[in-house]
Amino acid sequence: MHSKEQISHDDYQKTADWLMSQTKHRPQVAIICGSGLGMLADTLKCQDSFAYSDIPGFPQSTVQGHAGRLVFGELKGKTCVCMQGRFHMYEGHSLCKTTFPVRVFKLLGVETLIVTNAAGSLADGLQPGDIMIIKDHVNFPGFVGLNPLSGPNDDKFGPRFPAMSGCYDKGLRSTAMEIGKQLGVAGLMQEGVYAMVGGPNFESIAEARLLHRLGVDAVGMSTAAEVVVATHCGLRVFGLSLITNKVVKSYEDSDSVNHEGVLEVGRLRSQTVQQLVTELVSRMEINNNTAI
Ligand SMILES: O=P(O)(O)O[C@@H]1C[C@H](O)[C@@H](CO)O1
Ligand SMILES: Nc1nc2[nH]cnc2c(=O)[nH]1
């Protein structure tokens, strides 16, 4: 299922055309909300929102904490589109389906993608409630050929062999750290490496130890595939992980992670994440690139 499914340029274009026929908003920034972080969409003014089930070609969200709505609106003078709910491999979607919205955003004229997620920390210095600014990722599904760019390359979006060095924009990362200082939350923030695994199970202790030894700071079940597709089509990317739990690395530790706990930390930190993203969008420079 994962390697065979192909989506044509026309399929992405049809969805983009439908959305442009339904809203006057022409977004410059897209935001993908992670588990428990859907409230980011609530900050948009003059909203037009669409249930995923009403959008032609869109996959459906099946995970608790992912509302399944695409929200357009204004944030600090920038036009944004916000995914209240994302798609994961473990839901049974192919990777090109999980990343379908990213290419639609490109066709809508989006220049910058903000990705957020809930993640478990491997790094000893990252505690639940901390915010990790993603400086790089490890795309584990890609190691075994599960890559959204597999199959014939669509040259209209980008090159066959895209570089991934520098895929998380350095300028946006340092602006975010600066904003953290001004908001008085610098103590909660640090940069780190995110790893995407397939899920849906959380890590065994041996897997956690392996990830830690490999230099992974936080692990989750999304994001890297979206960023690969965004980078391929030339979007500027900013990513953050809300650390919702520590990944258990010791056989003596009786802690155990669950999805409700993940959502709860999302609720507790929602306002801080919202302030950080709002201020980042406010300071962004937009080039007004034309859509493909
Ligand atoms: O959509 P994200 O990556 O934020 O969701 C994480 C990974 C799983 O979907 C879920 C586990 O609680 O949270
Ligand atoms: N794989 C993984 N995903 C998460 N999402 C939130 N916490 C975790 C975690 O500990 N592991």
Side-chain angles (χ1 to χ4, degrees), residues 7-37:
I7 300 175
S8 72
H9 203 89
D10 264 8
D11 295 326
Y12 297 107
Q13 191 66 59
K14 274 185 200 146
T15 302
D17 288 347
W18 185 86
L19 287 166
M20 285 193 278
S21 74
Q22 301 293 311
T23 178
K24 290 200 164 43
H25 291 298
R26 295 292 175 262
Q28 302 146 317
V29 179
I31 303 170
I32 302 181
C33 304
S35 285
L37 296 170

Side-chain angles (χ1 to χ4, degrees), residues 118-121 194-195 197 199 201-203 219-221 242 244-247 257 262:
S121 70
Y194 173 90
V197 296
N201 60 281
F202 293 108
E203 289 64 40
V219 59
M221 306 176 196
L242 175 63
T244 53
N245 57 283
K246 286 188 80 77
V247 182
V257 55
V262 166

Side-chain angles (χ1 to χ4, degrees), residues 29 52 131 211 227 279:
V29 179
Y52 292 164
I131 294 167
L211 290 169
V227 172
E279 190 54 29

Side-chain angles (χ1 to χ4, degrees), residues 94-138:
S94 64
L95 281 167
C96 51
K97 273 280 181 190
T98 66
T99 57
F100 180 85
V102 175
R103 284 183 164 179
V104 171
F105 295 154
K106 176 71 181 178
L107 295 173
L108 292 176
V110 163
E111 294 173 12
T112 304
L113 176 69
I114 298 178
V115 278
T116 68
N117 60 57
S121 70
L122 284 316
D124 296 326
L126 279 169
Q127 307 303 326
D130 285 355
I131 294 167
M132 186 184 85
I133 304 301
I134 305 176
K135 73 169 177 210
D136 203 353
H137 70 220
V138 181

Side-chain angles (χ1 to χ4, degrees), residues 33-37 63 66 86 88 90 116-119 194 202 220-223 258-259 262-263:
C33 304
S35 285
L37 296 170
V63 188
H66 291 258
R86 62 148 57 84
H88 307 85
Y90 64 75
T116 68
N117 60 57
Y194 173 90
F202 293 108
M221 306 176 196
S222 66
T223 302
N258 60 64
H259 187 56
V262 166
L263 297 180

